[in-house]
Amino acid sequence: MLKGKSQAATTRVAAVAVQKGKLDVKVSASGSIQSVTNTDVTADTSKVVDEVLVSANEDVTAGQKLVTFTDGSDPITAPADGTITSVGVKAADHLTPGKVVAHLTNYKQLQTVIQVDELDIPKVQVGQTVSIKASSYPDEAFTGKVTAVAKEGTVSNGVSTFDVTIGIDDAKSLKVGMTAEASILTESKDNALYVPVAAVRTQGNEKVVLVQASSSDGSGTAVQRKVVKTGIHNEDYVEITEGLTEGEQVQLPAVVATTGNNTRQGMRQGGMSGFGGGSGFGGGFGGSGRTGGTGTRGGQ
């Protein structure tokens, strides 16, 4: 008959202080760097080319003449600043409406388009500030603003996402085609009281925490259940608008560690004493859980 191996179990209950500072809520997703202007320049009538005034890889400014015609009519001009990446006509060519005469790309005004989950898209608005990190330049920080939010989503595998366009303030060394991670600041609050999401548990219609304090006789630590009201939150922290004060010690979920003779360890989250039922720790908080509703604690 085989006997089970002996195990030693220990339960550790951690506590953290209620903090006060800046709390940021962000929505994050990845995308690729694109040019704001990336367009074909086309003819709008049937004419004969007299002269092509530009060549490939030449920089132009908005309104600059690109192609003139033998009849002396208005020339084709550049619709925006940028670089002529290709030229598709030559002198004496007969043009028809829609004929591409050149391609224009602006490598100095860049943007990125990210896909935001349908659960996070209600938080995103044009004009919100964005922090951007590029894979090619991990030590550089870039900034931008939301310039457009798609009115229609795209469904894939039962998940709907929406394109969000972000204009980059100063592209510096960024190049078209590079990958980037964008974090949109959707909410921010200064001097907020906050605790880790894991410290808050939902019981019925109430949010509750366990607060540690010295026992009345000073012999140990007493635990008090407190009902709190919450405000903004991200994946890590939740604002406490009522029920706690800065510096109070709140309990996190208990961790039970077991170690057997074979040195294998197991850990699980246990419940806090004093709680019956409820939906669990951190219930109702966090991002979308799909494409990156995230947040950060700001500087203090």
Side-chain angles (χ1 to χ4, degrees), residues 18 193-195 200 209 228-231 238-244:
V18 179
L193 288 178
Y194 58 87
V195 298
V200 181
V209 298
V228 298
K229 291 185 178 180
T230 59
V238 57
E239 179 192 14
I240 302 298
T241 60
E242 187 177 312
L244 295 176

Side-chain angles (χ1 to χ4, degrees), residues 64-277:
Q64 182 176 330
K65 294 179 181 179
L66 305 180
V67 176
T68 60
F69 299 106
T70 55
D71 63 359
S73 59
D74 290 341
I76 295 177
T77 60
D81 294 348
T83 300
I84 299 297
T85 59
S86 64
V87 176
V89 297
K90 61 184 184 301
D93 279 356
H94 291 259
L95 303 188
T96 55
K99 168 67 176 177
V100 176
V101 300
H103 189 85
L104 177 69
T105 301
N106 190 326
Y107 293 106
K108 295 180 181 178
Q109 290 183 320
L110 302 182
Q111 64 186 17
T112 183
V113 179
I114 61 175
Q115 289 71 49
V116 175
D117 188 274
E118 62 183 317
L119 299 181
D120 293 318
I121 203 67
K123 308 171 191 173
V124 179
Q125 300 177 11
V126 170
Q128 289 174 329
T129 59
V130 186
S131 57
I132 302 164
K133 298 289 289 184
S135 302
S136 301
Y137 301 101
D139 297 326
E140 287 193 60
F142 303 88
T143 60
K145 283 185 172 57
V146 175
T147 58
V149 179
K151 296 185 182 299
E152 295 185 9
T154 301
V155 179
S156 178
N157 297 322
V159 177
S160 181
T161 59
F162 291 76
D163 285 350
V164 174
T165 304
I166 298 162
I168 301 172
D169 295 330
D170 183 359
K172 301 177 184 176
S173 50
L174 292 177
K175 297 184 183 299
V176 172
M178 288 181 173
T179 56
E181 179 80 13
S183 295
I184 304 169
L185 181 64
T186 59
E187 288 184 275
S188 182
K189 185 173 289 189
D190 293 321
N191 299 316
L193 288 178
Y194 58 87
V195 298
V197 167
V200 181
R201 179 169 179 168
T202 301
Q203 284 190 308
N205 295 324
E206 294 182 329
K207 296 285 195 301
V208 295
V209 298
L210 287 181
V211 178
Q212 289 186 349
S214 298
S215 59
S216 57
D217 58 7
S219 60
T221 300
V223 177
Q224 179 184 5
R225 174 185 180 276
K226 284 192 174 183
V227 176
V228 298
K229 291 185 178 180
T230 59
I232 66 172
H233 64 85
N234 55 45
E235 287 186 337
D236 301 313
Y237 297 95
V238 57
E239 179 192 14
I240 302 298
T241 60
E242 187 177 312
L244 295 176
T245 58
E246 182 181 4
E248 284 189 290
Q249 296 288 318
V250 296
Q251 278 190 3
L252 297 178
V255 176
V256 179
T258 59
T259 303
N261 294 338
N262 58 2
T263 71
R264 293 179 60 187
Q265 294 186 352
M267 300 184 72
R268 65 177 176 85
Q269 287 190 340
M272 294 182 187
S273 58
F275 282 110

